[in-house]
Each structure stands twice: as C-alpha cells, then as structure tokens.
Amino acid sequence: MTPLTIGALAQRMQCPAETIRFYEKEGLLPPPDRSGGNYRLYGPTHLERLAFIRRCRSLDMTLDEIRLLLQLRDRPAENCLEVNSVLDDHIRHVADRIGELRTLQQQLQDLRQACASAEPQGCGILKELARGADEPPPRRAARHIHGSHPHRTRR
C-alpha cells in the first residue's frame, strides 16, 4: 500500500484529520513516519488500528477501554478473559445508562402532562420548570465520560 497523508487517511476513514491527530496524541495510534517535507505518512497498520478505534468509539467505549483493548490485542498469546471483562464492564455501564434514560423519559412525559391543552392561564410546562427556584436543580443523568465506570487495573 502506498503511504497515505493525514488528509487521505481521514478521507478514507471518513473522519476529521484532527481526530487522527488526537488519537496519536493519546497514544492510541503509533507515530507515523514522516516524509522529506515533514508530512505524516500512514501505512496499513495505521489504517487497521484506526478502523478498530473507530469501531470501539461507535460502541461508545471510552479511550481508556480502547487503550486497554489495543494493549490486549497486541498480546495475542494471552487468553481473552480480560477482553471479556472489559466488555462486561461496558455492558453494565450501558445498562445503567439505559435505566437513566428511561427515568429521564418518564420525567419528560410527566412534565408534558402538565400542559395537555392550551390553557388561558399560561403554559403548565413552563410553570413546572420554573417551580422550586430556591431548590437545587435535580440530579442530571451521568454521561459516558473518561473513567466513568471502573474496571480492574490491568497491565
């Protein structure tokens, strides 16, 4: 394969060049070779690894989870118990998030019921949202962020 510039790799993988630079900075992609003009030159290893990373991201995996999976993938002689553990942790996190989203959906549906018709006294939804100005805001559902769910320390 002819080496690809960052622009060509980005186009081929349908992702921004900045994303590729970010993955390099995070250590998920190895540093590419450089041309005489100091352009990044990517090979098949980068292409395959970037595809792996993007697939993991499409499954909402954190960078730490991806980093760990890449480390495990780079040690193929070991069994896949650790890979299973990473995925099991992620599945539990997704299940928790689904529960949070269901709760959010119910809260929104309850709020929607506050204004079933156009009343002359004003909008019930807006009144309900304004209620409790002296109370702390309700707890917001957690998002999947870096380090958002624990996993065992691994080599």
Side-chain angles (χ1 to χ4, degrees):
M1 175 179 129
T2 304
L4 300 170
T5 63
I6 194 167
L9 179 63
Q11 184 175 15
R12 186 160 176 183
M13 295 302 298
Q14 298 179 353
C15 72
E18 187 56 40
T19 298
I20 296 168
R21 285 188 205 97
F22 175 76
Y23 291 149
E24 282 177 36
K25 186 178 123 201
E26 288 294 316
L28 298 175
L29 280 176
D33 291 333
R34 297 284 183 151
S35 71
N38 205 29
Y39 288 100
R40 291 175 167 95
L41 297 176
Y42 298 90
T45 303
H46 294 98
L47 187 67
E48 186 276 328
R49 197 167 175 104
L50 183 56
F52 183 92
I53 293 166
R54 291 186 40 83
R55 175 73 174 129
C56 289
R57 291 297 295 145
S58 76
L59 296 171
D60 201 30
M61 292 185 180
T62 65
L63 295 181
D64 283 342
E65 289 169 325
I66 297 167
R67 188 174 288 107
L68 182 56
L69 290 173
L70 286 167
Q71 290 169 1
L72 294 169
R73 193 187 74 157
D74 291 342
R75 298 188 319 249
E78 296 185 24
N79 67 40
C80 61
L81 290 176
E82 283 192 81
V83 173
N84 290 339
S85 178
V86 171
L87 200 59
D88 290 342
D89 288 347
H90 188 64
I91 290 167
R92 280 189 290 278
H93 171 78
V94 169
D96 291 345
R97 184 69 179 127
I98 288 169
E100 292 169 352
L101 288 171
R102 285 193 177 123
T103 299
L104 175 60
Q105 180 183 28
Q106 186 59 56
Q107 290 171 345
L108 291 169
Q109 288 170 340
D110 292 346
L111 182 60
R112 178 60 182 92
Q113 293 304 311
C115 192
S117 64
E119 298 176 15
Q121 302 93 337
C123 179
I125 294 172
L126 296 177
K127 286 180 183 177
E128 183 64 26
L129 290 172
R131 184 177 60 83
D134 57 343
E135 300 171 15
R139 187 180 159 286
R140 189 168 177 219
R143 298 204 183 267
H144 195 160
I145 56 173
H146 176 73
S148 65
H149 48 96
H151 48 75
R152 289 183 280 293
T153 304
R154 296 175 174 91
R155 304 179 250 142

